[in-house]
Amino acid sequence: MTNIVLLNNIDHGDLVIATGHGPEFGDAVNQVLVFPTEWQDVQREYPILFRRAENGQYQSVALVGLDRDENLFLAGGEWRARYVPALHSRGPFSIGVQRSEDGGEDEPMIHIDLDHPRVAKGAGQGTGQGTGQGKGQPVFLTHGGNSPYLNAIADVLRRIHAGVLANEPVFDAFEAEGLIEPVAVEIMLDETTKYTLDDLYTISADRLAALDGAALHRLQSRGYLEAAFWAIASLGTVPHLIERKTDRLSGR
C-alpha cells in the first residue's frame, strides 16, 4: 500500500528528495502525459500529440522517444531539455483536497508519497525505502519554513491541478469546432528503419485556418486559440527528436 500522507502531518526532519532523472524514477517512457496549461513550454521542446484515454476523453502527450520505454532526453541522470513536463517534475508530491469542516470551499493540500524512490532513505519519519539517488534537495529549511525547492514544487502542482481542470473544456472546444483529426506519425531514420505511431490525433492546421470569425472568437475568448497554435507549432520539433534518435543509435 502506498504511504501517501499530508505533508503538514509529518515530522519534517531532514526530508531530502532526489531530483535527478532516470528509469528508476519512472522517466523511461516514450510518451509523457502533459496538460494544456504547459503546452506553451512543451511545444518548444517536444511534439504534442493527442490520444484517447480509456474513458474516451482526449489527453495530450509529449513525444520524447520512438521505441517503447525510450526517453531520448535522459542522459547521465539528467533530463536534458529546457523544460521537464510537470508530471515528471513533481517527484513524490501530489495534491489532495482537504474537506472543509465548516462548509466552506475545499482546500488543495500537498501530499507526499514516503515510499516513492525519490525520497531519500531514512528521511523524515515515514517508511520510505527509496534509493535517494541523484541530486538531493531539502524540502524544508533548517530552522523552519519551506525550501525554495518545495516552493517550486508547489508551482508545479498548481500547474498540474489547473491542467486537470482545463483538459476537458479545452478538448471539448476543439471538438466542437471540428479541429481534431487522426494522424499517423511516420518517421524514417534510414532506408530500413521506420517508425509508425498510430492511434494519435492532432489539430488540423487546414481546419483551423478555415474557421470563420465567430468560431475564432469563441476559441480566443476562452484562451484556447493560442493553445491550438502551440499544438500545431510543436510538430516542428520532430526533426530534433529524429536527430536525438540518430545520435543515440550512432553512440554520440
Side-chain angles (χ1 to χ4, degrees):
M1 183 175 178
T2 304
N3 187 23
I4 299 177
V5 300
L6 186 65
L7 187 60
N8 290 345
N9 288 346
I10 67 170
D11 183 344
H12 295 174
D14 296 322
L15 188 59
V16 175
I17 307 300
T19 56
H21 289 277
E24 66 271 32
F25 300 131
D27 295 323
V29 291
N30 66 350
Q31 294 180 19
V32 176
L33 185 66
V34 294
F35 301 100
T37 47
E38 55 182 330
W39 285 1
Q40 183 176 12
D41 294 310
V42 171
Q43 57 96 19
R44 299 188 181 104
E45 297 284 330
Y46 321 100
I48 298 172
L49 296 162
F50 311 148
R51 67 188 183 194
R52 284 191 181 273
E54 292 184 0
N55 63 1
Q57 177 65 42
Y58 285 107
Q59 55 186 200
S60 56
V61 295
L63 188 63
V64 298
L66 299 179
D67 285 307
R68 184 180 179 87
D69 301 329
E70 174 188 65
N71 186 336
L72 294 169
F73 294 83
L74 289 183
E78 297 179 349
W79 190 305
R80 299 188 177 178
R82 290 169 295 178
Y83 179 77
V84 179
L87 285 179
H88 288 260
S89 297
R90 69 174 181 172
F93 301 97
S94 60
I95 284 185
V97 176
Q98 183 84 4
R99 297 296 180 184
S100 173
E101 297 180 357
D102 58 4
E105 291 187 7
D106 296 338
E107 183 180 2
M109 303 290 287
I110 296 178
H111 290 68
I112 183 171
D113 177 5
L114 292 173
D115 290 332
H116 195 281
R118 288 190 182 278
V119 177
K121 186 178 294 184
Q125 299 299 313
T127 60
Q129 298 297 316
T131 65
Q133 296 177 18
K135 299 177 181 178
Q137 290 286 348
V139 176
F140 302 103
L141 299 175
T142 303
H143 300 293
N146 296 345
S147 69
Y149 167 72
L150 182 57
N151 290 334
I153 288 296
D155 289 339
V156 170
L157 293 177
R158 278 191 286 269
R159 175 171 277 198
I160 293 173
H161 184 65
V164 170
L165 295 178
N167 193 74
E168 186 172 347
V170 167
F171 282 109
D172 285 350
F174 289 162
E175 276 199 289
E177 306 300 346
L179 294 179
I180 300 178
E181 67 176 5
V183 60
V185 179
E186 296 185 350
I187 296 175
M188 291 290 299
L189 294 184
D190 53 43
E191 294 181 355
T192 60
T193 307
K194 176 181 178 180
Y195 289 90
T196 301
L197 305 178
D198 297 315
D199 300 322
L200 295 171
Y201 302 82
T202 188
I203 295 290
S204 170
D206 292 338
R207 295 178 188 174
L208 181 61
L211 290 181
D212 60 23
L216 291 172
H217 177 71
R218 285 192 294 270
L219 292 173
Q220 179 63 32
S221 65
R222 302 179 68 184
Y224 299 161
L225 182 58
E226 199 169 28
F229 283 118
W230 289 333
I232 293 171
S234 74
L235 300 182
T237 63
V238 170
H240 301 298
L241 192 69
I242 295 174
E243 182 179 356
R244 284 179 177 270
K245 180 62 174 179
T246 302
D247 289 346
R248 180 72 59 90
L249 291 174
S250 65
R252 292 201 297 268

